[in-house]
Amino acid sequence: MYARKCHQEESSEPKRCSLGDPTGAKTMVLVGDSHAAQWVPALDKIAKDRNFKLVTFTKSACPFTRVAITADGKPNVLCAQWHEKVLAEILKLKPDLIFTSQSNYGAVQQDVMIEGLRSLWGGLTDAGSQIVAIRNTPYMKFDPGECLSSTPTKCVTKLSDIERSNVLALAAEGQKNVRAIDMLDAICGPQLCPAVVGNIIVWRDSHHLTASYSLALAPYLAAKAGL
């Protein structure tokens, strides 16, 4: 996403990238912040395997929700403008399926976040799209680069220490054509969240998956999404 300049970091203008199967009969969209963007390798694989076009709209620190997000203590006006512009773009695309995810925004009250998510989702589901909301990935208690280069056996975070709330699942409750899925069991074990699974490094920093691990999760993500 970053090498292709598909990920918006500064302005309110949507950066749209087309991936997946360019001749696909159906269209899927990914929208959200960088915690949504980390799923692109998996979704690109899923789209290619299942003959979907994949269109992405992602922006740093900007969740796809009608909520006032702050940056340096001030309202992030560019974020608010971005998600409205992206909503218009998605409505034009009329996608069959929309994937979304986001980081935790602790400064926003949970009920406010839920209302903001449903406000945007409703317009999309009314237009005929199905929405799949992927639970946020956990934050690790270590820096993977530093840890793996010094004490790799200690590069784990206890499952009991990670954020337990799942605002996307709460927002999806009772909403027509919205499905919340949780990939935590494919990222963490019963007790620990490791830095390496098999021979693949899981984390590129303390809270984003590596592209390699995201790609490895493609079949699990597809199954949870019902594809």
Side-chain angles (χ1 to χ4, degrees):
M1 290 292 283
Y2 299 93
R4 291 171 179 250
K5 300 188 184 302
C6 293
H7 185 68
Q8 180 59 267
E9 298 187 70
E10 297 178 355
S11 86
S12 65
E13 292 305 310
K15 282 191 174 183
R16 167 177 168 172
C17 274
S18 297
L19 302 165
D21 181 355
T23 63
K26 295 183 177 181
T27 300
M28 70 168 64
V29 162
L30 172 68
V31 61
D33 59 15
S34 63
H35 282 218
Q38 68 185 339
W39 291 107
V40 165
L43 291 175
D44 186 37
K45 168 72 172 165
I46 291 169
K48 287 174 179 174
D49 289 348
R50 289 162 177 77
N51 306 119
F52 274 84
K53 297 174 184 174
L54 170 61
V55 182
T56 66
F57 298 98
T58 61
K59 178 173 171 58
S60 291
C62 186
F64 188 63
T65 175
R66 280 198 176 108
V67 166
I69 301 299
T70 58
D72 299 324
K74 300 178 181 178
N76 189 338
V77 177
L78 294 179
C79 178
Q81 294 172 346
W82 176 84
H83 62 60
E84 295 300 330
K85 292 177 181 180
V86 166
L87 175 62
E89 291 294 313
I90 296 175
L91 287 170
K92 290 177 188 176
L93 284 170
K94 298 180 179 179
D96 302 274
L97 188 59
I98 299 168
F99 283 88
T100 189
S101 190
Q102 65 184 53
S103 182
N104 291 327
Y105 292 84
V108 179
Q109 292 183 353
Q110 182 173 275
D111 59 340
V112 174
M113 180 62 78
I114 289 171
E115 182 179 351
L117 289 164
R118 290 175 174 175
S119 177
L120 287 180
W121 292 354
L124 296 168
T125 55
D126 286 348
S129 296
Q130 301 277 334
I131 294 176
V132 176
I134 308 171
R135 179 184 178 173
N136 183 35
T137 45
Y139 281 68
M140 296 297 97
K141 302 293 185 180
F142 56 84
D143 178 276
E146 293 181 3
C147 188
L148 288 172
S149 66
S150 57
T151 55
T153 57
K154 296 183 179 180
C155 300
V156 295
T157 293
K158 292 180 181 179
L159 193 61
S160 58
D161 288 342
I162 69 169
E163 173 65 49
R164 302 308 303 172
S165 67
N166 188 351
V167 70
L168 293 172
L170 294 173
E173 286 181 2
Q175 303 304 294
K176 184 180 179 181
N177 295 326
V178 180
R179 179 177 187 172
I181 63 174
D182 190 342
M183 296 293 292
L184 189 62
D185 60 355
I187 297 169
C188 300
Q191 296 180 319
L192 300 173
C193 301
V196 178
V197 171
N199 64 345
I200 304 175
I201 296 175
V202 178
W203 303 99
R204 66 176 170 88
D205 59 24
S206 63
H207 58 108
H208 293 95
L209 300 176
T210 61
S212 299
Y213 199 67
S214 175
L215 178 59
L217 294 182
Y220 305 99
L221 178 58
K224 295 220 174 186
L227 295 174

